[in-house]
Amino acid sequence: TAWTKGRGIDARGDLWIRVQGVDSPGDGPGIGGGWIKQSGDFDWTSSEIVFDVPERASEINVGIGMMGHGTLWLDDVRIEP
């Protein structure tokens, strides 16, 4: 889960999580994960991504991606089993 807030996102602002394996390329899709696509203006919103973590997982990456203009804030990120 994470709290996100957006202003003026005219294309897309993504909250994403990616599960990596030892052999996964660092900029590839990994071996699991998910994302939430957000746009426009919105106040603090709790967002939840549910995903599987395969046995061969070596790390979990969390981030945001912006396509276009705008601002996306991220706060209180929690990864829980």
Side-chain angles (χ1 to χ4, degrees):
T1 60
W3 287 87
T4 56
K5 177 181 175 180
R7 286 290 174 266
I9 301 173
D10 62 5
R12 221 172 76 197
D14 296 346
L15 167 62
W16 56 263
I17 191 157
R18 182 171 52 221
V19 180
Q20 298 284 46
V22 174
D23 298 330
S24 299
D27 60 351
I31 58 175
W35 66 92
I36 296 174
K37 299 175 184 177
Q38 300 172 311
S39 63
D41 295 318
F42 53 93
D43 288 324
W44 287 107
T45 303
S46 179
S47 302
E48 181 177 292
I49 300 172
V50 178
F51 61 99
D52 292 323
V53 179
E55 288 291 325
R56 61 189 178 130
S58 61
E59 61 187 71
I60 297 174
N61 307 135
V62 177
I64 58 172
M66 294 291 292
M67 297 181 73
H69 300 92
T71 306
L72 179 63
W73 289 270
L74 181 64
D75 193 20
D76 199 21
V77 177
R78 294 174 188 238
I79 299 175
E80 299 174 307

